[in-house]
Amino acid sequence: MESTPRTFSLSQVQAYLACPLKYRFQYLDKLPKPWRPSSLAFGSSIHAAVEFFHRLRFEGQAVDLAQVLRIFEADWYAQNLEQLVFSDRESQEGLLEKGKAMLTIYLEAQRGARPVAIEQPFELELADPETGECLDVRLRGVIDLVEEGDVLVDLKTAGRTVGEGDLERHLQLSTYALVHFLLRGMIPRLRLDVLLKTKVPRFERHETTRSVEDLGWTARLIEGVARSIETEHFFPNPSWRCSECEYFAHCQAWRGEQSIHSPLVSIG
Amino acid sequence: MKADQPTAQPDARETVAYAEILKIAHEEGLRSIATELLAPPSDDNGRLAIVKAVVEVEKGRFEALGDADPISVEERFIPHLIRVAETRAKARALRDAVNCGIVSLEELDGERPVAPDRGLGSGASTPPARSSRYLSRTAAPRGNGDARRQSDASSDLMTEGQRRYLFRLMATRGLVKEAAEETLKDLLRVDALTAATKAKASELIDRLLKPTAPAAGASNGVHTAHV
């Protein structure tokens, strides 16, 4: 038995919840991904440009839209040097233009509160905020943006608007709040900034918060995921995501639990 | 072979321990060490952490960068990439400050050195060879601290996170797309970016992030340097 609790990233927790078998392929078997969906790469390039923008603001420098767009263009070009898989309606050039349009409306909407932290990393031992019980799990991650007044912000690119239920159960925001509560003893304000990749790009802001009970639920969920990983429960979760999963072929070859210490299958 | 002779092993490399450089820096009037996290590890950048260290000693101020990602550290250090990157940055800045040209062990992969085989047979107890104040010559680690890296040459190649970061740095200089790609190929001295190594990419990032003189141009808000 290990003397210190294992550390999981928030991304790992989300990956396991999305599909436990994909988690195993990615994090344990470390199978190379034969390709990447363009949607992931696109969101990542938007994120890089937004981070650059906020860093300029954080440093009190003048913000130049052209410079931010150039960062996006550069990052998107670099990502396309490796094979990306585009949907029928999308292309490298089309997404470049869409990304520029999205960033333009994003920058126009950024008035007022200055950032106090950008891409703020955290790592801590999880505890149940209701009981104080130590959960024997370490969690690490990065908070996209912290604004004045303890507002923790997550930025997403999405194809559709966010519903009320999505916001209440948004795991990333819940985890931000849990971390803030455990480190500082208070529940922060939360905001989800959504850049919509619709035909005419849109920007939405959704403010929310969490109760201590919500945070207890979140802590127990993360603990449950950690225990499931430690006890090697890996199974597929069929969903709409399967059509763009890089491990689809490996998943098709899957036939039940096997040792995690050897690659499952060899796909030629 | 005498114990103080350099080993002739082709994989031998010279290293100095961080603790040793720090001790020397204190002896030479270390005033302060400050660090700044420039890039936190995330899944978007291949979990690459980059930290800047600024060391002030009596003779001046020295800056350096340190990076760490899951491939460049022992597995047990993977949860602590920021700390490893910070130690590497501090080690490099301290080396500059104390005029030590030998790489520190911590800058490499964090693996503990294996005593070089001096042909003395098992059980021979020999202190590490020293050819200078700073130098301890050790064989390249032979343990299985990172078997993946040794068995998979592709892990020595420039990561996606490094490539993207380099292109973004080029963009701050007004170079994008093919112009940036050609410039990077020149700077990395490769025919194709897929041939660039992680070490070379890291070195180039380091060079590009070195601050310019105040008169050299406006800051880009993140990092400035001339190519």
Side-chain angles (χ1 to χ4, degrees):
Chain A
M1 182 177 285
E2 293 177 3
S3 57
T4 53
R6 281 185 61 184
T7 305
F8 294 92
S9 69
L10 178 53
S11 300
Q12 284 176 302
V13 172
Q14 289 175 305
Y16 185 86
L17 287 170
C19 178
L21 187 60
K22 185 174 178 181
Y23 174 92
R24 177 188 152 165
F25 290 147
Q26 182 173 344
Y27 289 101
L28 299 181
D29 296 334
K30 300 184 194 303
L31 298 181
K33 292 181 177 176
W35 48 271
R36 289 177 73 203
S38 61
S39 55
L40 275 185
F42 177 76
S44 185
S45 287
I46 292 280
H47 209 278
V50 167
E51 182 191 341
F52 176 82
F53 163 71
H54 284 301
R55 247 179 234 289
L56 288 177
R57 294 180 75 217
F58 178 71
E59 292 173 3
Q61 294 193 48
V63 178
D64 179 354
L65 172 64
Q67 205 175 2
V68 175
L69 297 185
R70 206 155 49 226
I71 291 290
F72 168 70
E73 187 171 22
D75 195 88
W76 180 237
Y77 182 86
Q79 295 216 63
N80 276 276
L81 291 176
E82 282 186 6
Q83 192 182 1
L84 298 181
V85 171
F86 292 86
S87 70
D88 293 342
R89 290 166 298 160
E90 292 176 338
S91 66
Q92 180 179 348
E93 209 46 44
L95 284 177
L96 173 67
E97 293 312 313
K98 184 160 278 184
K100 286 180 174 179
M102 289 164 71
L103 285 166
T104 302
I105 60 166
Y106 181 79
L107 263 64
E108 283 169 0
Q110 305 304 308
R111 300 274 184 265
R114 263 182 65 177
V116 294
I118 303 128
E119 298 287 311
Q120 187 176 58
F122 62 81
E123 183 174 331
L124 78 170
E125 281 195 34
L126 269 195
D128 184 325
E130 292 180 287
T131 64
E133 182 192 346
C134 178
L135 301 181
D136 206 29
V137 175
R138 285 187 72 78
L139 182 71
R140 62 175 157 77
V142 176
I143 298 174
D144 283 355
L145 176 67
V146 183
E147 286 185 351
E148 288 169 325
D150 281 325
V151 183
L152 309 188
V153 183
D154 186 42
L155 172 72
K156 283 274 171 287
T157 54
R160 63 179 180 84
T161 191
V162 174
E164 192 61 35
D166 298 334
L167 193 62
E168 285 171 6
R169 289 273 162 157
H170 196 278
L171 181 61
Q172 209 148 341
L173 288 178
S174 298
T175 307
Y176 286 0
L178 172 64
V179 168
H180 196 82
F181 185 82
L182 292 176
L183 293 176
R184 303 199 177 174
M186 58 182 288
I187 295 178
R189 290 160 62 197
L190 301 168
R191 200 176 76 224
L192 184 63
D193 285 0
V194 187
L195 269 169
L196 287 162
K197 214 168 60 172
T198 39
K199 198 167 184 180
V200 177
R202 291 201 335 258
F203 176 61
E204 292 180 349
R205 274 187 164 165
H206 302 275
E207 294 191 9
T208 184
T209 188
R210 295 290 187 269
S211 66
V212 175
E213 290 76 19
D214 293 331
L215 303 188
W217 186 91
T218 303
R220 293 295 177 175
L221 171 65
I222 295 170
E223 181 198 23
V225 169
R227 298 291 163 259
S228 298
I229 292 170
E230 285 169 346
T231 50
E232 302 175 5
H233 285 89
F234 302 112
F235 48 86
N237 176 20
S239 74
W240 59 269
R241 293 189 183 92
C242 296
S243 61
E244 59 175 38
C245 178
E246 307 92 318
Y247 298 125
F248 184 79
H250 291 88
C251 182
Q252 292 302 102
W254 177 81
R255 293 294 182 273
E257 292 292 327
Q258 296 173 45
S259 165
I260 63 163
H261 301 298
S262 60
L264 259 180
V265 284
S266 176
I267 303 293
Chain B
M1 183 186 288
K2 288 182 184 174
D4 59 355
Q5 279 183 328
T7 57
Q9 297 168 20
D11 62 345
R13 58 189 180 188
E14 297 173 346
T15 61
V16 59
Y18 174 77
E20 198 170 356
I21 315 172
L22 186 61
K23 182 168 172 280
I24 294 163
H26 276 287
E27 287 168 5
E28 295 190 359
L30 175 64
R31 286 179 178 159
S32 68
I33 303 178
T35 59
E36 182 188 352
L37 180 64
L38 296 182
S42 69
D43 290 340
D44 286 341
N45 73 359
R47 303 213 53 73
L48 174 69
I50 301 176
V51 172
K52 180 171 84 171
V54 180
V55 165
E56 280 196 73
V57 290
E58 282 174 2
K59 60 189 172 195
R61 190 167 177 270
F62 298 84
E63 290 185 10
L65 298 169
D67 65 276
D69 66 12
I71 303 297
S72 70
V73 302
E74 270 188 87
E75 197 164 352
R76 67 199 166 101
F77 291 135
I78 289 176
H80 314 294
L81 294 172
I82 294 173
R83 273 178 268 169
V84 174
E86 185 183 43
T87 302
R88 289 174 174 175
K90 289 194 291 185
R92 300 191 71 196
L94 284 167
R95 284 200 300 114
D96 288 347
V98 302
N99 196 25
C100 170
I102 299 163
V103 70
S104 79
L105 177 64
E106 289 78 4
E107 287 172 59
L108 299 174
D109 48 20
E111 291 175 287
R112 299 204 67 76
V114 178
D117 179 2
R118 299 180 184 286
L120 298 176
S122 62
S125 175
T126 312
R130 281 172 189 273
S131 59
S132 80
R133 184 178 183 186
Y134 306 115
L135 172 65
S136 61
R137 184 175 281 271
T138 63
R142 295 180 299 187
N144 61 356
D146 195 343
R148 268 181 296 127
R149 181 158 45 84
Q150 292 175 9
S151 63
D152 182 4
S154 68
S155 64
D156 288 332
L157 295 175
M158 175 163 67
T159 65
E160 181 204 327
Q162 286 179 316
R163 186 179 70 237
R164 290 172 58 193
Y165 196 52
L166 281 169
F167 270 91
R168 295 202 298 270
L169 286 171
M170 288 291 108
T172 64
R173 290 155 180 77
L175 294 172
V176 291
K177 297 186 173 181
E178 289 84 1
E181 188 174 355
E182 290 308 312
T183 304
L184 286 173
K185 279 195 248 175
D186 285 347
L187 291 168
L188 291 162
R189 295 178 184 170
V190 290
D191 294 329
L193 289 181
T194 48
T197 65
K198 183 185 290 184
K200 285 278 181 198
S202 186
E203 204 174 274
L204 180 57
I205 289 170
D206 194 353
R207 266 169 58 202
L208 294 173
L209 289 178
K210 280 218 171 97
T212 52
S219 164
N220 61 21
V222 186
H223 323 286
T224 57
H226 281 310
V227 176

